[in-house]
Amino acid sequence: MGSVAPISILEFPRLIRLAVLLLSILFALPLPVAGSETQRTKRILMLFSENKFLPGNALVEEAARRVLEKSGHPLEFYAEYLDASRFPSQNHYRLFREYLRAKYGPRPPDLILAFLTTQFELAGQLPAELFPETPVVFGALTEDKIRRDRLGANATGLAVRMDVKGAIASILQLQPEIQRIVVVGGTAPLDKLFLRKTEEAARSLAGRIQFDFWVTRPMSEIRSQVASLLPRTVILFANMFRDAAGDTFVPEAAASLVAAAANVPMYVLIETNVGGGAVGGKVVHFEAAGRRVGELAQKVLEGTSPTSLPIEVYSEGAPIFDWRALRRWGISESRLPPGSIVRFRQPSLWELYGWYIIGALFVFVLQAAMIAALLLQRARRRQAEAELQRNREELAHVARISTVGELTTAVAHELNQPLGAILSNADAAEMFLKMEPPALDEVRDILADIRKDDQRASEVIRRMRDLLRKHELAPQAVEINAAVEEVLQLLSINASARKVTVKFEQTAGLPRVWCDPVHLQQVLLNLVVNGLEAMAEIPEDQRRLMVGAGHDGDGMVKVYVSDRGPGIPGDKLPKLFEPFFTTKKDGMGMGLSIARTIVEAHHGQIWAENNGDRGATFYFTVPVPKDALA
Amino acid sequence: MTPDQPVIHVVDDDPSFRTAITRLLRAAKYEVRSYASAAEFLASPPCAAPGCIVLDLKMPGASGLELQQSIASTDEPLPIIFLTGNGDFPASVRAMKAGAVDFLTKPVERQMLLRAIQNALNRNAVERSSRANLRELKDLYETLTAREREVLAHVVGGKLNKQIAFDLGTTERTIKAHRGSIMGKLGIQSVAELARMAQDLGIRPIR
């Protein structure tokens, strides 16, 4: 209508701006997903041929429901059970139908899920009549009797194929030695369905395997008879809702009863019958079927027309086996067909208590290791102690050798006396014999004296050798006074050379001490020599060495060697008995340390004190055997 | 046994050795007396005869060296031969310095011992005679008057009679007279003898 001049948006009138605003808001809103219905709650009615308590029903129902719930729709579920096997009468069916009509008629459900075993009316005639608008999705146990024309126009679903032939084939594969199969079945309509299918399968294998159908025996008879079946026989449990006597069962429980009583393996046809003792087999999978039904239902809910979905035959499902039954009958898992599912695997002791076992083993090993370590340590300690003792003796020996220097003077003098006498006697004898007449009487005296001196010399040598010989600790009862005297006698030469007066203060009646005499004299020797040497620098008339032995309060004998030398400097006192400690210019420092070793090996004590006036006194104690104390 | 027969004194605390040595020396025709200790020796009646001592060095109680010192202080000290059981060098040096004749070790060889004893006895004889001589001299000296002793001292000082007379405040003639008396009493002929005699007696010459 004329030319339109371009204008800016701000010039647009207010209404236009409002429209733009509204449009933007609309665009910001989440748009409904293409193909979905509006958000109204959908009502789903589930119909079951059998009763609520069958595990199979529970499985499919839950599987289907879970799939549907995942879709996110708000849903309401209703479930009704025909219980046809237990209530097979037509009257019951009619009442069920009327019940449904009354209950759901006013408000028909949006979808019917029908889980059927035999009553296909539930998927066909019934919904068509009661709820003509409602689509139906069914799951049927076998594909028998399903005909499109019997179903309503609004129905689709799947039929689970029970492949009995395949099941029997897999049984034979597992146990090729089988010659006979006993088929146990029931009298309910569903039972008969199972039996019929089994008969079909059996016909094709009739030549090879002998099939016995037990359909007229009540459960009690079946149970007693399966207990005594011949070998190379297995049982195929078809199904049992009702036995020949008319008792009703939950099939799963019936299967358990038979399997428990049987003396041969028992195989089953449906998933839910596995777990009560049956070995298993190529079974119908309820849960998977239920899921598939749920998927189909979801499609229908979303708008797909049921007629556009073909009826499916569901035959998938790997064989399922009960691990416990496999073990009972000694069937190795390696013989199972590939892809088999093994259920009820009992964890081995290891799997159950693995950690505990590891823990216990660990503790055990630890303990064993500790015990071993302790034993080893004890062995090592014994070894070390033995070595220590050997070392001690070695050291004592070395020190003894090094006191040879001290003993040389004594030895030389002591030996030279008899030797000198012998020589001079011999010279004299020679001269007496040269006389006219020879002084034979004198010679006779001489010979006697020579013999005596020879013995004397041997004795000296023997004593010296005893002192010098490497010598194991050989304790015995020793008279301490005699031992001290012997040592002093030995050192008398040394003492007089040093101008030292030695005084031995004896105590009479001292008990004999328990010690090694040689070692004891070693200690005494050491202390006396030290005492003598200590007084080298003091005026001769003051050189006195006092040696004494007396009682000590604790049942020991105490020996002391006291000199009047310069004493022991305070700082040296604690180190006195340590090895390699010496104040002598050419001393080795071993004497006192060895003396201590010896005294302590005798369970005595050795120590030194400075005297009040001058000099030092060395003390040591030696034990007295208990019985001697009296 | 003549009074001049030398006597060997054996001092040793070891009875066996003591007996052996005694036998040996008796077989060598010596007169022997034996003692078990230095004390026993000192306690025994003094022996006027010549002789020597065979002494063990290391004995308990008074050691050999101590005995040596006490013997040396007697009128007629006997020479000592030390016998010892160990060759202790410091002791031996000390002993020799103190005048021992010899220092032998046990066991002792016969020849060595007898030779040492002979040496000792010889020395003893020499010493005895020189001691005797000295005693004689002393006796003679005692016969001199005090004045004569004075003159003697000056004479052996090498002074002339004139000087001596001047020193002593008397005449030369008197001095000459004293000299003759001295010579006559002492029984000597020359001044040289006089000088030696004076020396022996230990008289200090006055110069």
Side-chain angles (χ1 to χ4, degrees):
Chain A
M1 286 236 209
S3 60
V4 183
I7 14 177
S8 99
I9 194 159
L10 290 167
E11 291 179 33
F12 280 176
R14 220 175 345 154
L15 209 56
I16 305 294
R17 280 210 291 260
L18 190 59
V20 169
L21 182 61
L22 277 174
L23 276 172
S24 348
I25 291 170
L26 263 175
F27 279 127
L29 281 173
L31 298 176
V33 174
S36 73
E37 303 283 333
T38 51
Q39 301 290 73
R40 179 177 66 85
T41 305
K42 294 279 167 86
R43 293 163 69 239
I44 301 177
L45 171 60
M46 296 198 284
L47 296 176
F48 295 85
S49 325
E50 299 302 334
N51 66 62
K52 183 170 175 235
F53 305 109
L54 292 183
N57 276 340
L59 280 175
V60 297
E61 180 241 310
E62 200 185 313
R65 197 150 49 81
R66 228 185 286 135
V67 169
L68 286 168
E69 278 168 346
K70 258 210 306 242
S71 69
H73 282 303
L75 299 170
E76 249 174 42
F77 287 91
Y78 301 87
E80 305 294 346
Y81 299 87
L82 176 57
D83 208 352
S85 283
R86 295 196 291 189
F87 301 96
S89 72
Q90 272 295 100
N91 198 36
H92 174 76
Y93 175 74
R94 230 173 356 94
L95 285 171
F96 182 69
R97 195 182 56 195
E98 293 314 311
Y99 163 73
L100 287 179
R101 195 204 303 272
K103 191 167 173 184
Y104 298 99
R107 280 179 65 205
D110 298 295
L111 174 67
I112 288 178
L113 286 181
F115 296 99
L116 316 169
T117 53
T118 50
Q119 310 300 97
F120 294 105
E121 298 82 8
L122 290 180
Q125 194 187 34
L126 190 145
E129 191 186 318
L130 296 178
F131 317 105
E133 306 297 314
T134 310
V136 175
V137 176
F138 64 85
L141 187 47
T142 68
E143 73 265 36
D144 305 38
K145 299 201 178 157
I146 297 178
R147 286 193 351 228
R148 246 267 175 245
D149 55 347
R150 295 274 292 284
L151 296 166
N154 237 351
T156 187
L158 63 83
V160 176
R161 171 173 295 162
M162 187 162 36
D163 182 10
V164 184
K165 203 153 114 183
I168 294 175
S170 78
I171 292 170
L172 292 176
Q173 195 187 38
L174 206 55
Q175 294 189 252
E177 76 278 10
I178 291 168
Q179 289 170 346
R180 178 169 166 238
I181 297 182
V182 168
V183 180
V184 170
T187 54
L190 188 55
D191 298 339
K192 289 199 183 126
L193 171 65
F194 276 64
L195 281 169
R196 214 169 35 248
K197 298 216 78 93
T198 311
E199 273 166 12
E200 277 171 32
R203 249 175 266 140
S204 63
L205 293 162
R208 288 201 283 135
I209 306 286
Q210 180 194 341
F211 282 86
D212 287 334
F213 285 82
W214 292 3
V215 294
T216 54
R217 296 164 220 227
M219 176 58 92
S220 50
E221 199 181 316
I222 292 173
R223 286 188 70 203
S224 67
Q225 289 195 338
V226 296
S228 53
L229 291 172
L230 297 169
R232 307 222 196 161
T233 307
V234 293
I235 302 167
L236 180 60
F237 185 83
N239 208 31
M240 191 181 289
F241 277 96
R242 194 173 68 210
D243 76 344
D247 296 317
T248 53
F249 295 88
V250 171
E252 185 187 278
S256 300
L257 287 172
V258 176
N263 68 341
V264 293
M266 185 178 96
Y267 292 85
V268 293
L269 296 171
I270 54 177
E271 180 186 4
T272 46
N273 280 349
V274 179
V279 173
K282 195 164 187 305
V283 297
V284 170
H285 288 229
F286 288 113
E287 195 193 326
R291 249 184 285 137
R292 187 71 196 126
V293 168
E295 283 165 17
L296 288 174
Q298 184 168 4
K299 283 212 183 101
V300 168
L301 269 183
E302 285 164 5
T304 315
S305 161
T307 41
S308 68
L309 294 168
I311 296 172
E312 295 174 9
V313 174
Y314 191 84
S315 63
E316 285 152 63
I320 301 177
F321 294 96
D322 183 340
W323 183 86
R324 299 166 297 184
L326 288 175
R327 284 243 304 195
R328 179 178 168 202
W329 300 112
I331 300 170
S332 149
E333 269 184 65
S334 55
R335 284 159 50 188
L336 300 177
S340 301
I341 299 169
V342 177
R343 290 208 186 137
F344 307 105
R345 200 189 283 274
Q346 275 182 338
S348 61
L349 224 56
W350 175 251
E351 281 157 2
L352 272 177
Y353 302 114
W355 287 117
Y356 294 107
I357 291 176
I358 287 179
L361 268 177
F362 183 65
V363 168
F364 177 75
V365 165
L366 209 63
Q367 230 177 11
M370 281 212 295
I371 290 174
L374 282 173
L375 282 174
L376 191 71
Q377 199 181 44
R378 185 170 75 153
R380 283 231 203 96
R381 184 183 326 143
R382 289 246 187 88
Q383 207 181 32
E385 274 175 2
E387 203 176 307
L388 185 65
Q389 184 63 16
R390 268 202 303 274
N391 279 348
R392 280 202 189 126
E393 281 166 13
E394 185 91 39
L395 214 48
H397 176 63
V398 165
R400 219 177 282 125
I401 301 293
S402 69
T403 60
V404 159
E406 297 296 341
L407 294 174
T408 306
T409 319
V411 177
H413 184 89
E414 287 223 27
L415 269 184
N416 283 335
Q417 297 287 56
L419 287 179
I422 290 171
L423 179 60
S424 298
N425 271 328
D427 284 337
E430 194 181 2
M431 294 202 281
F432 283 134
L433 287 174
K434 282 206 196 119
M435 292 179 187
E436 293 296 334
L440 290 178
D441 286 336
E442 289 271 20
V443 172
R444 255 190 287 274
D445 289 340
I446 285 172
L447 289 177
D449 279 350
I450 284 178
R451 178 171 291 112
K452 266 208 315 240
D453 280 322
D454 185 277
Q455 282 169 344
R456 208 173 94 181
S458 301
E459 181 61 24
V460 169
I461 291 177
R462 188 195 64 76
R463 275 200 352 250
M464 290 305 149
R465 275 186 62 200
D466 270 352
L467 222 53
L468 291 174
R469 186 183 15 231
K470 193 163 170 193
H471 170 98
E472 317 235 321
L473 216 58
Q476 51 194 261
V478 172
E479 278 283 4
I480 192 93
N481 287 336
V484 173
E485 267 184 18
E486 216 174 277
V487 171
L488 291 181
Q489 155 79 14
L490 205 66
L491 292 174
S492 62
I493 320 304
N494 197 332
S496 66
R498 295 173 188 277
K499 309 283 196 301
V500 175
T501 316
V502 178
K503 189 154 177 327
F504 179 25
E505 286 178 347
Q506 297 196 38
T507 306
L510 278 180
R512 303 210 286 188
V513 296
W514 191 254
C515 67
D516 181 298
V518 173
H519 279 90
L520 179 77
Q521 284 181 326
Q522 170 92 5
V523 172
L524 270 168
L525 199 77
N526 213 286
L527 295 181
V528 172
V529 164
N530 281 353
L532 291 177
E533 286 177 357
M535 294 190 281
E537 301 297 316
I538 66 167
E540 286 173 15
D541 56 345
Q542 293 174 18
R543 297 182 192 171
R544 287 195 350 137
L545 190 79
M546 308 263 278
V547 181
H551 286 283
D552 186 41
D554 297 328
M556 309 266 252
V557 164
K558 186 157 73 175
V559 177
Y560 64 86
V561 175
S562 183
D563 67 73
R564 303 185 66 65
I568 304 159
D571 59 330
K572 304 259 191 314
L573 207 46
K575 294 201 279 194
L576 216 48
F577 293 94
E578 278 173 29
F580 307 114
F581 175 83
T582 179
T583 53
K584 301 184 200 173
K585 210 163 36 192
D586 49 2
M588 228 168 63
M590 297 309 303
L592 282 178
S593 125
I594 287 173
R596 176 166 75 170
T597 307
I598 292 173
V599 168
E600 284 180 356
H602 282 98
H603 306 291
Q605 276 187 301
I606 184 168
W607 71 98
E609 291 168 8
N610 279 321
N611 296 336
D613 44 357
R614 67 182 302 168
T617 305
F618 281 76
Y619 300 89
F620 70 91
T621 56
V622 195
V624 177
K626 292 273 186 334
D627 47 4
L629 279 176
Chain B
M1 182 184 52
T2 64
D4 274 350
Q5 172 108 12
V7 175
I8 304 178
H9 307 267
V10 173
V11 187
D12 194 316
D13 66 329
D14 187 277
S16 170
F17 190 80
R18 191 171 65 238
T19 311
I21 291 288
T22 307
R23 276 199 193 112
L24 174 59
L25 295 176
R26 288 211 178 115
K29 305 283 195 286
Y30 287 111
E31 166 112 17
V32 183
R33 288 195 206 157
S34 61
Y35 313 85
S37 65
E40 198 184 307
F41 174 74
L42 290 170
S44 66
C47 179
C52 67
I53 305 176
V54 174
L55 185 53
D56 182 60
L57 184 60
K58 292 220 163 77
M59 288 183 294
S63 77
L65 288 174
E66 281 174 2
L67 183 58
Q68 181 186 28
Q69 282 168 358
S70 53
I71 288 168
S73 59
T74 58
D75 287 341
E76 288 281 2
L78 295 170
I80 299 177
I81 297 169
F82 277 108
L83 267 186
T84 182
N86 51 321
D88 188 1
F89 274 117
S92 68
V93 167
R94 266 201 302 262
M96 296 309 285
K97 279 190 181 165
V101 168
D102 219 331
F103 194 95
L104 303 173
T105 56
K106 302 179 193 179
V108 62
E109 242 189 273
R110 176 173 59 185
Q111 290 308 324
M112 281 189 71
L113 179 65
L114 293 177
R115 230 196 326 266
I117 286 184
Q118 201 51 54
N119 275 348
L121 290 177
N122 291 345
R123 189 146 119 181
N124 183 240
V126 163
E127 284 171 1
R128 281 172 76 92
S129 80
S130 70
R131 274 197 291 270
N133 284 345
L134 196 58
R135 262 197 302 276
E136 221 179 88
L137 255 184
K138 273 214 175 104
D139 289 342
L140 286 175
Y141 187 73
E142 297 295 316
T143 62
L144 293 178
T145 68
R147 196 66 169 166
E148 281 166 345
R149 293 187 204 158
E150 251 188 301
V151 171
L152 178 65
H154 284 267
V155 168
V156 296
K159 292 198 180 145
L160 293 170
N161 292 341
K162 231 192 322 227
Q163 277 172 303
I164 300 171
F166 179 74
D167 288 343
L168 293 179
T170 181
T171 60
E172 193 177 340
R173 261 219 328 238
T174 320
I175 299 302
K176 274 197 192 150
H178 282 315
R179 274 179 84 141
S181 171
I182 292 168
M183 299 293 212
K185 281 186 182 175
L186 295 180
I188 50 177
Q189 317 293 13
S190 68
V191 177
E193 275 180 79
L194 188 66
R196 212 189 38 225
M197 202 175 278
Q199 198 175 36
D200 285 348
L201 287 167
I203 295 165
R204 272 194 41 234
I206 301 172
R207 299 189 200 272

